[in-house]
Amino acid sequence: MPSNKIASKRQWTVWHPVALIVLLTLGVAATWDAWRDIFEIVNKDEESSHVWLVLPIALWLAWMRRGRLRRCTPTGLLLGPIFIIIGSVIYLFGGIYVIQFPWHLGAVIVLVGCIIGVLGKDILVQFAPAFLILVFLVPFPGRLRQMVAIPLEGITANITANCCEILGMPVERLGTVLRINGVDVAIEEACNGLRMVFSLTLVCYAIAFSSPLRGYVRLGMVIASPLLAVICNIVRLIPTVWLYGYSKLSTANHFHDISGWLMPPAGFLALLGVVRLLRWAMIPVSKFTLAYG
């Protein structure tokens, strides 16, 4: 009898989703000013537009691992309050000293704590990829963003200019500005490299952890995402530069905007092609299991 009582306490009930909704609502309400600031940044700053992809990808990764719920029991709930306390301290620190990154990060950690506080520590372990990607909900600090964007733009401008010359396009490079037919095209305006890095990193992460791939393949895909972003930037920049030099400004701007949204799907297809190529070459890329790791 005692063992049956203990087992019954570890079963899922209809009250678990109810309690989860209530606690998540309270957690978001308690840190609402940080969440509102995140949404305002994402709406105003195109460099942070990748944040919109995070929750759909997290939900997709969780759905792909739904079979793992059989391994989870609502135990280890104490870990939830620990996360909430740690997140609250980080959140308050960022708010008091007006530092956005810890302020936003603390709100995300509180949200994770609310989930663990209801569903237990097994959820954190079995659905780890879906939780880890929530870090991307935090907008990247401007100073660190520039440290990545500036050298990336220089590299992209140099390679793009060389590719244009190979294709017979009369392009002159002045730093991160490409001049064609007397028109100056700034790389940061024609195609922002950093935005592509974040978006394609999310795409790579989603593919890597929604497929039954080996660990080294997953790691390689995520690490290769910045290189893939540079390649996609170059592919996008070559026709963009030509359009700015030889067509109407409105046409070039439309192509710039549309091609920006097409690059993540293009990266997705490119990665699928790489995985297929590895399998064709008989390189072991998949796990010998039906469950996603």
Side-chain angles (χ1 to χ4, degrees):
M1 289 297 293
S3 60
N4 291 335
K5 290 182 178 180
I6 294 174
S8 63
K9 291 180 180 179
R10 294 182 177 180
Q11 298 302 315
W12 298 106
T13 68
V14 68
W15 294 108
H16 282 95
V18 174
L20 179 61
I21 293 173
V22 171
L23 196 56
L24 284 176
T25 302
L26 292 175
V28 171
T31 57
W32 176 244
D33 50 352
W35 288 109
R36 181 176 57 191
D37 190 62
I38 291 175
F39 294 140
E40 289 177 354
I41 291 174
V42 174
N43 282 326
K44 296 177 181 178
D45 186 5
E46 292 185 353
E47 303 293 344
S48 300
S49 59
H50 65 277
V51 173
W52 293 118
L53 299 173
V54 176
L55 286 180
I57 291 177
L59 292 174
W60 167 253
L61 292 175
W63 173 255
M64 295 298 291
R65 286 164 172 75
R66 62 191 181 279
R68 293 188 167 208
L69 280 173
R70 293 190 296 269
R71 309 180 195 175
C72 301
T73 54
T75 58
L77 304 182
L78 183 60
L79 187 62
I82 293 175
F83 266 75
I84 292 175
I85 292 172
I86 294 174
S88 299
V89 171
I90 297 174
Y91 165 80
L92 292 173
F93 172 83
I96 293 172
Y97 292 97
V98 195
I99 307 175
Q100 279 189 329
F101 184 78
W103 188 39
H104 296 156
L105 180 62
V108 173
I109 295 175
V110 168
L111 194 70
V112 173
C114 292
I115 298 174
I116 301 172
V118 175
L119 303 182
K121 62 179 178 62
D122 289 346
I123 289 292
L124 180 63
V125 175
Q126 299 296 334
F127 292 80
F131 283 102
L132 288 175
I133 201 173
L134 296 180
V135 174
F136 283 91
L137 285 173
V138 181
F140 210 59
R143 183 176 298 179
L144 293 178
R145 188 169 64 190
Q146 290 302 314
M147 290 174 62
V148 177
I150 293 175
L152 184 60
E153 290 168 1
I155 293 171
T156 304
N158 185 32
I159 298 177
T160 302
N162 291 330
C163 290
C164 288
E165 291 179 2
I166 293 173
L167 294 173
M169 296 169 54
V171 173
E172 179 184 357
R173 185 172 74 91
L174 303 171
T176 59
V177 176
L178 302 181
R179 180 172 294 172
I180 180 171
N181 196 28
V183 178
D184 290 341
V185 182
I187 294 300
E188 60 269 22
E189 295 176 1
C191 183
N192 190 291
L194 187 60
R195 191 190 321 168
M196 293 295 299
V197 168
F198 284 126
S199 297
L200 289 177
T201 297
L202 288 172
V203 171
C204 292
Y205 187 94
I207 296 172
F209 288 95
S210 62
S211 304
L213 301 175
R214 292 176 179 266
Y216 69 85
V217 178
R218 288 175 171 171
L219 181 61
M221 291 176 68
V222 175
I223 292 176
S225 58
L227 176 60
L228 181 60
V230 173
I231 295 173
C232 287
N233 265 333
I234 294 169
V235 172
R236 179 190 181 194
L237 270 171
I238 293 173
T240 300
V241 169
W242 187 89
L243 286 172
Y244 273 108
Y246 295 99
S247 69
K248 295 180 180 179
L249 179 61
S250 59
T251 302
N253 285 335
H254 283 311
F255 179 84
H256 158 252
D257 294 337
I258 294 173
S259 62
W261 286 106
L262 291 177
M263 286 302 101
F268 176 85
L269 295 176
L271 283 172
L272 290 182
V274 171
V275 172
R276 282 183 172 270
L277 181 62
L278 292 174
R279 286 174 175 159
W280 176 81
M282 302 184 71
I283 297 175
V285 297
S286 300
K287 292 183 176 181
F288 296 100
T289 176
L290 295 177
Y292 290 120

